[in-house]
Amino acid sequence: KDSADDKSSISSSLYSFATFMARGVTSTVKEAVKAVPELLGEDSETTELLNPIDDRPLSIAERDAIILMKAYCPRQSTPDALVGQCLAKGFGRCMASSSPPVLTVDGVARGIDSRLTNNGMEAFGIPHAVRRIMLENAREYHTVIANCPTMSIDDLIKAMKENILSEEMLVRLLKWYPKYARLNNPRRDKSLRLKEVIRYHKENYSKGGQSSDAEAEVHQLDSIFYFAPQRMSKKLPLPETVFPQSLVGSIGLRTLEDRHFTDWFQPLPFDIWTGFISEHTCMRNGNEKDDAMRILVLVTLSKHFDSLESATAKRRFVELLPLSSPCLPFDITTSDVNLSASNTKTAVPNELYLPDTDLSAFSGLQTFYKASKRLKKEGVSDAFLLAMGVRKTIKIEFLFLHLDTLNWNENPKPLIKYLIDADLSQQDLLKLRSTRY
């Protein structure tokens, strides 16, 4: 009835005709959408994601709207459905300039401004969405007369620009998108644009329970590039560009590995994680409180080192490690007043010896520190420790310096054993032959 004055008689006549037609449709209103069968041959979760549950009963306004809309689609009163569709198109042409109204979840809107549901997209706050129950009750009105557009990826992008998702809704969206993409195959540029605009609240669990939206930290999904592989321990620190393990557990690693997320996320390359962990406090500061984490990190690094096949790959990997930082724990066998209290637990790799190294030939000369036996017990290999710079034998310079200070004639066996194990150059051998021994 809000048409121009010269069309008021048409609008009035149409409304009167609709009221007359409505007398025969009051008993045909569907109260609920029938259960949707499982789609794509998958589980019930897929069905619910693509067809969100909407079990809210019809309101009085919705029932009245359905009756009125059905009156414009008199298919049941005609001998053929095509006749009813032609009548519906006729009504549509009469109201072409005003775009017939429909009832959406946000109230009354013009058909051109409303959006019909599309495989579960309605769950993410698309404005002016038409409930599925309303569409099922007056499909011809929505699709032919009002000509309501179906939700598209552009509508979702616009909604994500205006809204900030909770973690719960972010998890739902990431579970839903691959299933939607299999059915609709969105363009690559649209897919990337969607990721760019998604924001979410990062809930602060350290305060106990979920925080309010006002307190929650807002994050951009576009700042996340990786997810941790399954083989990586969930206790390890991760860069900010990696999905938090709590979210991965809710989303599912298999979902993140889906081909439709190839442009969104990739498995975390180990070299990138190595570069990150090498700058972490547990590997830089040698604090006692980080001891358990430090051991876990070293075990992880050692396993990766041992899995590398070529010497070049191993050398390049070792170059990423914090070799000049006190990152290796050691066992203290004797007291040393020269060590400060803060460094009594860790040391630089080249200051330590392998746990099983026999240094009895040099006992009494100085205090030697060996890498902690816990490393070997937890699975850190000697090959990895040697690659980091841990020593198997003392430096040959140290031997020459103290060669005349001990009486080797009493028990030369430790010295002989050391010389067998030592990596002596030709110059070292020549120098050794020049001694009185």
Side-chain angles (χ1 to χ4, degrees), residues 163-433:
N163 300 314
I164 301 176
L165 299 177
S166 64
E167 279 195 359
E168 180 182 359
M169 288 306 296
L170 175 68
V171 169
R172 181 184 180 95
L173 188 146
L174 293 176
K175 284 184 174 182
W176 165 84
Y177 183 75
K179 303 178 188 299
Y180 166 83
R182 262 178 275 174
L183 296 173
N184 296 271
N185 194 26
R187 284 166 35 190
R188 182 171 181 266
D189 60 327
K190 299 287 187 182
S191 175
L192 291 173
R193 180 60 181 149
L194 175 61
K195 186 196 176 189
E196 287 178 6
V197 299
I198 294 175
R199 296 173 297 165
Y200 68 97
H201 288 295
K202 186 174 181 180
E203 295 168 353
N204 189 351
Y205 297 101
S206 62
K207 293 184 178 180
Q210 299 181 354
S211 55
S212 65
D213 287 351
E215 299 175 346
E217 189 177 356
V218 177
H219 285 255
Q220 292 278 154
L221 186 64
D222 199 41
S223 66
I224 297 180
F225 306 126
Y226 309 108
F227 55 87
Q230 188 172 8
R231 66 179 182 275
M232 184 171 286
S233 171
K234 293 180 173 57
K235 298 179 181 179
L236 290 169
L238 296 173
E240 291 185 354
T241 55
V242 181
F243 260 114
Q245 292 287 17
S246 58
L247 273 179
V248 174
S250 301
I251 299 166
L253 194 58
R254 186 176 178 182
T255 297
L256 295 176
E257 293 172 339
D258 190 279
R259 63 183 178 88
H260 293 98
F261 279 145
T262 301
D263 293 330
W264 289 32
F265 318 112
Q266 291 288 330
L268 176 64
F270 201 88
D271 285 355
I272 290 181
W273 180 78
T274 301
F276 160 78
I277 204 64
S278 295
E279 299 296 328
H280 196 271
T281 55
C282 72
M283 297 293 284
R284 283 288 180 181
N285 299 339
N287 294 328
E288 185 176 356
K289 64 182 180 65
D290 296 324
D291 188 54
M293 181 60 69
R294 187 180 301 112
I295 295 289
L296 180 60
V297 168
L298 290 169
V299 170
T300 305
L301 294 171
S302 175
K303 288 181 178 178
H304 180 74
F305 174 85
D306 295 337
S307 70
L308 299 174
E309 296 181 357
S310 70
T312 301
K314 290 185 176 183
R315 185 183 71 255
R316 290 176 177 174
F317 174 68
V318 171
E319 290 174 353
L320 300 173
L321 303 177
L323 304 181
S324 60
S325 298
C327 58
L328 290 183
F330 62 88
D331 296 328
I332 302 176
T333 55
T334 58
S335 60
D336 191 338
V337 295
N338 294 323
L339 282 177
S340 64
S342 61
N343 288 330
T344 55
K345 293 293 184 180
T346 60
V348 177
N350 62 12
E351 296 177 355
L352 300 178
Y353 294 85
L354 291 179
D356 298 331
T357 301
D358 183 6
L359 299 174
S360 58
F362 308 97
S363 59
L365 294 180
Q366 73 173 46
T367 302
F368 300 101
Y369 294 97
K370 299 179 181 181
S372 176
K373 293 181 179 178
R374 289 180 300 161
L375 295 174
K376 191 169 186 178
K377 182 179 179 182
E378 295 294 335
V380 178
S381 67
D382 286 350
F384 175 65
L385 293 176
L386 289 171
M388 289 189 70
V390 175
R391 301 190 60 82
K392 186 177 181 180
T393 58
I394 65 169
K395 296 180 180 179
I396 193 68
E397 291 81 5
F398 182 85
L399 171 63
F400 292 139
L401 181 63
H402 295 281
L403 198 57
D404 293 330
T405 61
L406 293 178
N407 188 357
W408 301 105
N409 292 329
E410 291 182 1
N411 183 17
K413 185 176 180 180
L415 176 60
I416 295 171
K417 186 177 185 303
Y418 162 76
L419 292 174
I420 292 174
D421 295 334
D423 184 15
L424 301 176
S425 65
Q426 290 297 323
Q427 291 78 8
D428 293 335
L429 291 173
L430 288 174
K431 190 172 183 180
L432 188 62
R433 290 193 183 103

